[in-house]
């Protein structure tokens, strides 16, 4: 018995990794970590450092302190419209596209006829890049040959949906929401499939209506999905670039912070230090939204 107990104890003890195991783990963990440092955090830290310089990419790097930020907030007229557009982008995706995606997920989860067809059709825009969505938006909203003006029969004085700065931001937001809704729908649909059916049955037995069951039983169980959707919505709202650049290069009412970064760093001005300052502002705003949202969700999870 003692020998058998000793063997079992040896089997249950912590496994010792061989030199080969440690080498494999080092490679599998080290390469992704190294790539993350080189591709993500390296350029990020470099941008932070360059934002305090007046470097143009050719001449010597000149330290200017906070001069780039002072000029950005006071003497750069495109900055504040771009900030407003980014916030509008974030609000539209978060308050319109995301709830609509949740509604579609709920309807499909109930088992409507042709649900597979609807699911595939609504998800189809997700496989397209935002640049392609921008080209599709041009085909739909173009002033002279657009499908929308053709449907409306507005040929004598067609509406310039993409040229009018009071209208184009909303048209582009509709195109971006078209893509974002399908992504949100799939995420929520996966979460709804994982909800325990007994919870709904118990709520129905207690006399709860379908609306009460959803908001008081189903939606709280979707908290992990809500976190994912919230973070994705913030990222999509703040990193938007492709679609507006495909429409009119992010000008005439479609200014975004990401476009300003590109125009200053790789444009004719080649103001790498100034463009880096805009990139740092975008980074801080993005991290602020994401960290605040995650902290609130973690606190809510602990209080449950």
């Amino acid at each position: 018995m003692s020998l058998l107990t000793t063997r079992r104890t040896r089997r249950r003890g912590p496994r010792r990794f061989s030199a080969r195991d440690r080498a494999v783990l080092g490679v599998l963990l080290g390469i992704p970590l190294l790539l993350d440092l080189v591709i993500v955090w390296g350029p990020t830290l470099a941008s932070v450092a360059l934002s305090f310089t007046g470097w143009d990419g050719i001449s010597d790097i000149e330290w200017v302190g906070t001069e780039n930020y002072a000029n950005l907030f006071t003497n750069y007229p495109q900055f504040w419209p771009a900030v407003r557009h980014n916030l509008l982008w974030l609000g539209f995706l978060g308050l319109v596209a995301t709830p609509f995606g949740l509604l579609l997920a709920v309807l499909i989860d109930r088992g409507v006829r042709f649900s597979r067809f609807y699911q595939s059709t609504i998800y189809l825009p997700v496989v397209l890049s935002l640049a392609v969505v921008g080209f599709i938006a041009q085909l739909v909203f173009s002033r002279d040959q657009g499908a929308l003006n053709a449907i409306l029969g507005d040929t004598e004085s067609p509406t310039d949906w993409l040229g009018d700065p009071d209208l184009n931001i909303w048209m582009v937001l509709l195109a971006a929401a078209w893509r974002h809704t399908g992504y949100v729908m799939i995420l929520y649909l996966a979460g709804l499939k994982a909800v325990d059916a007994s919870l709904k049955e118990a709520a129905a037995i207690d006399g709860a209506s379908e609306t009460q069951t959803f908001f008081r039983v189903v939606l709280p169980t979707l908290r992990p999905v809500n976190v994912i959707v919230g973070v994705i919505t913030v990222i999509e709202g703040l990193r938007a670039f492709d679609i507006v650049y495909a429409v009119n290069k992010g000008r005439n009412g479609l200014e975004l912070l990401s476009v300003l970064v590109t125009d200053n760093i790789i444009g004719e001005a080649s103001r790498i230090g100034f463009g880096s300052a805009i990139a740092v502002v975008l980074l801080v705003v993005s991290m602020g939204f994401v960290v605040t949202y995650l902290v609130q969700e973690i606190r809510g999870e602990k209080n449950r």
Side-chain angles (χ1 to χ4, degrees), residues 75-126:
N75 298 323
Y76 193 51
Q78 294 96 331
F79 175 71
W80 291 112
V83 172
R84 288 195 298 269
H85 292 160
N86 271 110
L87 294 178
L88 179 61
W89 204 287
L90 178 60
F92 192 85
L93 293 183
L95 301 178
V96 177
T98 297
F100 187 59
L102 175 59
L103 174 62
L104 293 176
V106 172
L107 295 177
I108 293 176
D109 184 62
R110 291 183 177 180
V112 297
R113 294 185 62 184
F114 309 112
S115 60
R116 293 290 184 183
F117 172 76
Y118 296 140
Q119 181 176 335
S120 301
T121 303
I122 297 171
Y123 182 75
L124 182 61
V126 181

Side-chain angles (χ1 to χ4, degrees), residues 27-296:
V27 171
L28 294 178
L29 295 177
I31 292 180
L33 180 61
L34 181 61
L35 291 175
D36 185 61
L37 291 174
V38 172
I39 298 176
V40 178
W41 290 107
T44 300
L45 296 177
S47 296
V48 174
L50 289 173
S51 67
F52 297 99
T53 69
W55 190 40
D56 59 2
I58 300 176
S59 61
D60 295 335
I61 298 177
E62 179 185 359
W63 183 266
V64 296
T66 59
E67 181 180 338
N68 287 328
Y69 293 97
N71 291 331
L72 180 63
F73 293 132
T74 59
N75 298 323
Y76 193 51
Q78 294 96 331
F79 175 71
W80 291 112
V83 172
R84 288 195 298 269
H85 292 160
N86 271 110
L87 294 178
L88 179 61
W89 204 287
L90 178 60
F92 192 85
L93 293 183
L95 301 178
V96 177
T98 297
F100 187 59
L102 175 59
L103 174 62
L104 293 176
V106 172
L107 295 177
I108 293 176
D109 184 62
R110 291 183 177 180
V112 297
R113 294 185 62 184
F114 309 112
S115 60
R116 293 290 184 183
F117 172 76
Y118 296 140
Q119 181 176 335
S120 301
T121 303
I122 297 171
Y123 182 75
L124 182 61
V126 181
V127 303
L128 304 176
S129 68
L130 278 175
V132 176
V133 174
F135 291 128
I136 295 175
Q138 285 183 313
L139 295 175
V140 175
F141 301 118
S142 176
R143 177 181 181 273
D144 298 322
Q145 300 177 349
L148 181 57
N149 281 335
I151 294 174
L152 296 176
D154 194 1
T155 56
E156 294 183 359
S157 58
T159 303
D160 195 358
W161 301 102
L162 297 179
D164 189 343
D166 295 327
L167 296 175
N168 56 11
I169 184 65
W170 300 106
M171 300 301 104
V172 172
L173 282 173
L174 285 175
W178 174 56
R179 181 178 183 271
H180 185 72
T181 298
Y183 196 8
V184 172
M185 181 202 68
I186 289 297
L187 292 175
Y188 274 120
L189 190 59
L192 291 171
K193 297 296 183 183
V195 175
D196 191 353
S198 62
L199 296 175
K200 301 179 183 179
E201 296 175 358
I205 293 174
D206 291 338
S209 63
E210 291 188 4
T211 303
Q212 291 174 333
T213 300
F214 176 77
F215 284 103
R216 297 183 180 182
V217 177
V218 177
L219 192 59
T221 62
L222 296 176
R223 180 177 292 271
V225 182
N226 292 333
V227 174
I228 296 174
V229 171
V231 172
I232 289 175
T233 301
V234 171
I235 293 174
E236 288 292 328
L238 295 178
R239 77 175 182 89
F241 170 81
D242 313 53
I243 184 170
V244 297
Y245 208 81
V247 171
N248 65 356
K249 295 186 177 181
R251 298 180 180 131
N252 190 30
L254 294 181
E255 294 83 1
L256 293 174
L257 290 176
S258 57
V259 176
L260 299 184
V261 173
T262 304
D263 287 343
N264 281 277
I265 291 181
I266 65 175
E268 295 180 359
S270 187
R271 298 190 295 176
I272 296 179
F274 190 75
S276 298
I278 304 175
V280 171
V281 171
L282 182 58
L283 173 66
V284 171
V285 173
S286 304
M287 293 297 294
F289 274 106
V290 173
V291 171
T292 301
Y293 189 85
L294 291 178
V295 168
Q296 294 297 326

